[in-house]
């Protein structure tokens, strides 16, 4: 089984630059690396979402709803070749209620300019059978601030279809407050490991963890 190895929100070197260096002076390089990975995952757990760069995430959603202004039968909409073919296929299959929008669950809650996506594949699974791999060049998005994708009008995506997304994303440049949160979380873990009874250490792990949680909460889902 492969080890969990995300890019940490804060590096070991960043933790060692400040007042928490004394906490980890006896840690081996591997133990320190593991500590930063654990702290990163705990920050993501506190926020309830992905924050560090990731890849190969698989999500499936049910295609629901359609904007009336984008309903093909709402008027004489000029279409390109792909749209005309898609409309013709929709008529042949007995439906023109084609979904145009999708949303990824993971997106930047703050600082979208620091977030980057890598869309790997989109597959439509229709309820009456048949799968279709979407040409990604025909899809607008995903938008870093919302995870929104906008399908070309020629895409045959009936309401009720399942859509599977495979993608990567995350903060390519980690916001400074998340770096701070990761350092707090790592320091909290180290204190509990070194002094479980809290009898003789100057750092309070509960305070450190609470400070980390408070920062991560601003990245949480509304």
């Amino acid at each position: 089984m492969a080890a969990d190895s995300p890019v940490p929100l804060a590096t070991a070197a960043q933790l060692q630059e400040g007042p928490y260096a004394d906490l980890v002076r006896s840690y081996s390089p591997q133990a320190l690396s593991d500590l930063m990975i654990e702290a990163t995952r705990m920050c993501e757990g506190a926020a309830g979402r992905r924050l560090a760069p990731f890849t190969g995430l698989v999500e499936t959603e049910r295609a629901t709803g359609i904007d009336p202004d984008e309903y093909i039968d709402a008027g004489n909409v000029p279409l390109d070749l792909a749209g005309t073919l898609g409309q013709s296929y929709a008529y042949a299959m007995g439906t023109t209620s084609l979904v145009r929008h999708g949303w990824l669950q993971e997106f930047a809650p703050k600082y979208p300019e620091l977030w980057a996506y890598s869309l790997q594949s989109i597959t439509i699974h229709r309820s009456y059978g048949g799968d279709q791999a979407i040409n990604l060049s025909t899809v607008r998005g995903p938008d870093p601030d919302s995870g929104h994708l906008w399908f070309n009008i020629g895409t045959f995506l009936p309401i009720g279809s399942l859509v599977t997304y495979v993608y990567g994303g995350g903060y390519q440049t980690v916001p400074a407050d998340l770096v701070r949160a990761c350092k707090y979380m790592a320091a909290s873990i180290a204190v509990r490991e070194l002094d479980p009874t809290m009898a003789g250490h100057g750092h309070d792990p509960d305070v450190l963890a609470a400070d980390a949680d408070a920062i991560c909460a601003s990245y949480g889902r509304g």
Side-chain angles (χ1 to χ4, degrees):
M1 181 181 295
D4 187 19
S5 56
V7 177
L9 295 172
T11 66
Q14 287 173 315
L15 181 67
Q16 292 174 307
E17 287 172 352
Y20 306 122
D22 63 309
L23 293 175
V24 295
R25 63 181 181 275
S26 62
Y27 280 53
S28 69
Q30 184 59 54
L32 193 52
S33 175
D34 292 342
L35 176 67
M36 303 315 295
I37 288 174
E38 292 169 12
T40 294
R41 289 306 193 205
M42 290 178 70
C43 286
E44 291 182 329
R49 67 195 316 146
R50 295 291 189 93
L51 300 169
F54 61 89
T55 187
L57 179 61
V58 180
E59 289 180 4
T60 299
E61 69 169 357
R62 185 174 184 271
T64 58
I66 183 170
D67 188 334
D69 291 335
E70 295 177 334
Y71 184 52
I72 291 178
D73 281 348
N76 295 320
V77 181
L79 301 176
D80 60 10
L81 178 59
T84 302
L85 291 174
Q87 182 187 47
S88 177
Y89 187 35
Y91 283 135
M93 298 305 296
T95 179
T96 54
S97 299
L98 303 180
V99 176
R100 297 286 308 286
H101 303 276
W103 283 268
L104 302 179
Q105 295 183 27
E106 303 300 338
F107 57 90
K110 298 166 64 175
Y111 313 114
E113 70 276 14
L114 304 180
W115 184 282
Y117 275 119
S118 173
L119 191 57
Q120 296 164 250
S121 67
I122 302 176
T123 306
I124 297 174
H125 313 276
R126 302 187 184 94
S127 60
Y128 45 78
D131 297 342
Q132 178 185 354
I134 298 300
N135 182 350
L136 299 181
S137 67
T138 66
V139 179
R140 182 196 179 282
D143 299 321
D145 60 338
S146 64
H148 173 253
L149 300 112
W150 197 15
F151 293 98
N152 186 292
I153 201 169
T155 304
F156 189 65
L157 180 52
I159 293 174
S161 302
L162 294 180
V163 186
T164 298
Y165 305 99
V166 181
Y167 67 101
Y171 282 112
Q172 302 304 303
T173 298
V174 183
D177 57 346
L178 274 182
V179 174
R180 171 65 62 179
C182 188
K183 290 164 65 176
Y184 282 159
M185 197 70 80
S188 173
I189 297 171
V191 171
R192 292 183 186 280
E193 289 182 343
L194 295 171
D195 190 8
T197 64
M198 317 306 159
H201 218 290
H203 299 289
D204 187 330
D206 293 328
V207 172
L208 291 169
D211 287 343
D213 286 343
I215 295 171
C216 294
S218 67
Y219 287 82
R221 299 187 186 277

